[in-house]
Amino acid sequence: MIPNLFEIFATPYLLKVPLMWLAVMAPAMIIFSPSQHLVTGRYILLKKWTMKQFIKQIMSPLPTHGYKWAALFTALMITLTSINMISLLPHTFTPTAQLALTMALAFPLWLATVVIGLLKKTTRSLAHFLPEGSPTPLIPALVVVETISLLIRPMALGVRLAANLTAGHLLLQLMALAVIHLPTPMWPATVAVATTLMLLTILEVAVGLIQAYVFVLLLSLYLQENI
Amino acid sequence: MAGPDSGTEHQFTGIKKYFNSYTLTGRRNCVLATYASIGLIVLYFKLRPKKNPEDGK
């Protein structure tokens, strides 16, 4: 019987209730559990320091009136990072491998940056569709190409995150199946595959962190163009 | 004249003053003209009278 390799990406249900919302909210709730202490401790200081470094990195290219987006970007980064990290545990569900979630995050945020640009700086936003110094005969083609490039952005944003997570988790499952099902006389091969599996897990940790950062970074770049 | 392109507008004359790929307003006008042209072409093909096969007999 051929195992269904994509079963790990199916939304979990409990008594016919989908647990997607729990899978999305639980990681962030673990990190942001309310403190029992009035005086800050090491954990809260560490969280504050991490958030401060991230905000400085992401928000420094933006003008002052763009700083109101800092809370949204930080929350998004923490949510995506925590979801990606927790989904690396065995037998857990990966919400960010679902296109429904990644597109639901990417499309409205991208649309918000475009609408803000069109409303507040209409001339500059429209001028972005034509690169400066373009040759005159190429102007119509370049405008069409830049328009398509703009409309593709939310799809690229959502699919990039989902595809990276899906591919990584699928590879981990394939290698884990290989380690389990290889016969005992082939123990050198099993050791080699198990070593590769460990290295791949480390890579998946890096991919999870990087993809969350890239998602937020690209959104901040789109905002930078339009604010 | 005040504006984002005040330093460069005097380099262009005629239609190039409004449609060029160097100034913000020039680029904006080129983009709007391209969209208007595409819209007009689409409108033409939608509104043109469809040829009736009985007219050919």
Side-chain angles (χ1 to χ4, degrees), chain A residues 123 126-127 129-130 132-134 136 139-140 143-144 147, chain B residues 16 20-22 24-25 27-28 30-32 34-35 38:
Chain A
T123 301
L126 286 171
F129 289 104
L130 182 63
E132 197 174 333
S134 311
T136 311
I139 286 174
V143 170
V144 171
T147 308
Chain B
K16 275 208 172 280
N20 62 77
S21 61
Y22 292 94
L24 269 180
T25 45
R27 283 155 67 194
R28 181 201 69 189
C30 286
V31 169
L32 290 173
T34 308
Y35 287 157
I38 294 170

Side-chain angles (χ1 to χ4, degrees), chain A residues 9 30-31 48 60 79-81 92 106 115 121 151 154 156 179-180 182 190-191 193 196 212 217 223:
Chain A
F9 299 114
I30 292 168
I31 292 172
K48 279 187 178 174
S60 53
T79 306
L80 290 176
T81 311
T92 51
V115 167
K121 290 191 175 174
L151 296 173
V179 170
I180 292 166
L182 275 172
T190 310
V191 167
V193 175
T196 315
L217 181 70
L223 184 67

Side-chain angles (χ1 to χ4, degrees), chain B residues 7-55:
Chain B
T8 52
E9 273 175 2
H10 66 276
Q11 294 176 0
F12 302 105
T13 52
I15 198 166
K16 275 208 172 280
K17 191 176 174 184
Y18 301 102
F19 294 92
N20 62 77
S21 61
Y22 292 94
T23 60
L24 269 180
T25 45
R27 283 155 67 194
R28 181 201 69 189
N29 293 340
C30 286
V31 169
L32 290 173
T34 308
Y35 287 157
S37 313
I38 294 170
L40 284 171
I41 292 168
V42 168
L43 211 62
Y44 165 73
F45 280 104
K46 274 195 172 294
L47 294 176
R48 70 173 178 175
K50 286 181 187 168
K51 285 179 188 173
N52 205 338
E54 289 177 354
D55 292 344

